[in-house]
Amino acid sequence: MALLTLQGISKRYQQGELEVNALSDINLTVEEGEFAALVGPSGSGKTTLLNIIGGLDSPTQGTTRLNGTDITTLKEAQLSDFRLFQLGFVFQSYNLVPVLSALENVELVMVLQGKHKNECRQRAEHYLELVGLKDIMHRRPSALSGGQQQRVAVARALAAGPRLVLADEPTANLDSENATALLDIMHTLSHEEKTTFIFSTHDPRVMDRAERIITLQDGKIVSDERHHHEHKT
Amino acid sequence: MKKSAQASVLSRLPILIFVAWRNIWRNPIRSVLTISALASGLVMVILYASLLEGMTRQMVRFATEISTSHIQLHRQAFIDDQDLYATLPWSYMQKLEQEFPDITIAPRLYASGLASSTNTSTGVLIKAVDPKREIEVTKMLEHVRHGKLDLGIADITENGFARYNLVIGAQLAKNMNVEPGDELVLVTQAADGSIGNALYRVAAILKPLEPNFDRMGVLMSIEAYQQLMYLENGFHELAIKVNDLSQLENIQADIIEKLNKLTAVEPLDKLGGVPVVRNWRQLNPAVADLLELSKAFVFIIGFIIISLASLGMLNTMLMAVHERTHEFGILLAIGMKRRWLLLMVLFESFFLSLVSAAVGSVVGLIINNYFEEHGIDFSQSMPDGYDWAGMIFEPVMKGYLIPMDVVYACLMMMVVTMLASLIPSWQTIRLKPAEVMR
Ligand SMILES: Nc1ncnc2c1ncn2[C@@H]1O[C@H](COP(=O)(O)OP(=O)(O)OP(=O)(O)O)[C@@H](O)[C@H]1O
Ligand SMILES: [Mg+2]
């Protein structure tokens, strides 16, 4: 069974008289362990789609099944639990709580999950080491570069042990060097942790690192290609 | 199911509290300003309560110490129409004194008469006291303005009569144009129906304390009274001072019970009526009402001050929530529950008001300490004190803080600020992460 199945997803926004079809009849399956990019011009519906997959927004029509659960039927509190335990998020910027250190930010999700203190600490340190930030894990976000902050966000998403990590333009505010470095980290972790990633991007160099590229245009999937390139460690 | 959900909120409390505490110091200047506003409000409330309580205590002292004392005993007919014959026997006084070692008592007798000096005469109110006992119960005899306090025998006249000393009110002295050392003749109707009349010497003049006594009061010893009035079988009034004011009502009840027993053994004549025991509140209902009113006043003024200070808190929290919309969106997205977020914001307000309460109480207590020791001194501009609601106050206004008042003020502040912070907290409930993240 596929990890994620979207069936007939449509999203219409009402803007006064005008109706905007942000998404129309999207059908998509994503298997466990995939590393997929969502691309397309601005306004094509990438953010809308990621929000619907993440249960942050509800579709006008259609169903979203994750790991067998139809999340469109879940209530607010259940959705919140679902996100807490099954999903990881990395947003474009300002992902972190500014009053907490990098380490505390990574621990936060696990603490909210109710994990034991020691386990939170161990896992947080482990993942910060994987993203190469163990030395500066006691710094607050304001003392980290944009790239470092995004890496902390990736560590936070993964440390909580999600089935699926959603990242909406995680590299948009990074220069290309930092952007490719972040992608490499995400890619490596995706393999090592067998975690599924779906991320949106505009950046061709970032797209290159994806194993699957789903292209959206005007709210429809216009192409869906798999690249089987070697993963370098 | 329900139980585990509650348990989960409890287990998340430490992290919510931790983040909330950190958030307060995110914008230290803003937090310090908010805390200063709330703490100042609290300081004002504490000082206001303290000064008003200080005035209240002074008022109670005035109402009791000057002449009323804490409890008084009369007979009904004396209360109703100053019936000269409505006396209580002296044996009652001795029995009460034996029964209650914790009280101090002073007997008094009254009569009305006419006083004449060399060129004027005027109606007067004669009050007879036992100076030794009176000094133990009230401060009436301490407030001498001119002359020397002495109610004994001044001299013996040529025809062998004793001339007693008198102490009179200041206004009366002025009206009659007499000074200490001058003579005064009193004429009155004695208890046997005859006209009593005698010559006295004015020994001292009392400061104005009670308006009535000031205008027409003449103070003499009980022996002088008995010689003038031929009324020896008892007293009109018993002033009672209790050592422990908190026991006032109990002691009053015990005295009433004791009197019931006494009247059974030693019956009183019918005409004078039953013995009546009243405490100072019942004797000065206006003052008692005023005291109640002042308590309500502290509450209302305190509530207004604190509500105004809470507006600062409301503003701070509105700003804090507003500028963190994005952050809250992220937290909701990664699985924070709305009620946890709400709790976090409430904890933030709670800490602000808790710190304010601590700072405000400490500063309030320090300033209050000064007020209790030194007071606010108006004696430069008002050496005789001031007059408020028919009472005379000392020129130095001193504070008196009831510790529980600080606790109540803190509680009130925290309740009001927490209510105010419900408004900004409520905004977190309505956040839609999808819109916030876009
Ligand atoms: N709340 C909204 N109300 C009305 N229209 C909306 C709303 N949110 C999104 N849209 C519209 O839906 C369409 C898809 O928007 P979306 O943000 O998903 O695009 P995107 O692919 O993420 O664009 P970008 O690359 O610029 O981030 C756009 O036409 C947008 O104007
Ligand atoms: Mg977008």
Side-chain angles (χ1 to χ4, degrees), chain B residues 1 12 27 77 89 92 104 118 120 148 179 267 385 395:
Chain B
M1 189 69 196
R12 268 41 156 220
N27 195 333
Y92 273 46
T104 322
T118 359
T120 48
K148 187 171 160 291
E179 281 176 8

Side-chain angles (χ1 to χ4, degrees), chain B residues 131-149:
Chain B
K132 278 201 210 86
R133 285 176 173 277
E134 195 64 44
I135 282 167
E136 298 293 312
V137 176
T138 69
K139 298 216 159 87
M140 189 193 333
L141 300 177
E142 286 176 19
H143 295 272
V144 173
R145 173 170 274 178
H146 301 298
K148 187 171 160 291
L149 185 96

Side-chain angles (χ1 to χ4, degrees), chain A residues 13 47-48 51 54 56-57 76-77 80-81 83-85 87 89 91 93-101 104 108-109 111-114 140 156 168, chain B residues 8 11-12 14-16 18-20 22-26 324 326-327 329-340 431-435 437-438:
Chain A
Y13 287 111
T47 299
T48 309
N51 280 347
L56 298 175
D57 206 349
E76 154 99 31
S80 163
D81 260 342
R83 286 198 298 267
L84 183 58
F85 288 98
L87 295 178
F89 286 90
F91 298 98
S93 54
Y94 302 111
N95 269 288
L96 307 176
V97 179
V99 295
L100 298 181
S101 69
E104 289 160 347
L108 179 64
V109 189
V111 174
L112 292 179
Q113 284 177 335
R140 297 246 179 130
R156 177 182 69 188
D168 192 8
Chain B
S8 79
S11 66
R12 268 41 156 220
I15 183 74
L16 299 178
F18 176 74
V19 178
R22 285 268 182 94
N23 271 328
I24 290 184
W25 306 112
R26 182 179 203 154
R324 266 187 264 157
H326 177 81
E327 188 180 324
I330 301 243
L331 287 173
L332 286 174
I334 64 174
M336 176 84 95
K337 295 210 170 26
R338 275 171 207 283
R339 56 182 135 95
W340 297 352
L431 279 179
K432 289 213 171 69
E435 283 170 17
M437 302 318 307
R438 208 168 272 279

Side-chain angles (χ1 to χ4, degrees), chain B residues 275-294:
Chain B
V276 178
V277 181
R278 291 177 294 174
N279 63 38
W280 68 268
R281 280 198 195 88
Q282 296 161 322
L283 291 161
N284 298 301
V287 174
D289 286 352
L290 212 63
L291 297 187
E292 285 303 307
L293 207 66
S294 83

Side-chain angles (χ1 to χ4, degrees), chain A residues 44-59:
Chain A
S44 56
K46 303 181 293 293
T47 299
T48 309
L49 186 58
L50 285 173
N51 280 347
I52 288 173
I53 297 172
L56 298 175
D57 206 349
S58 52

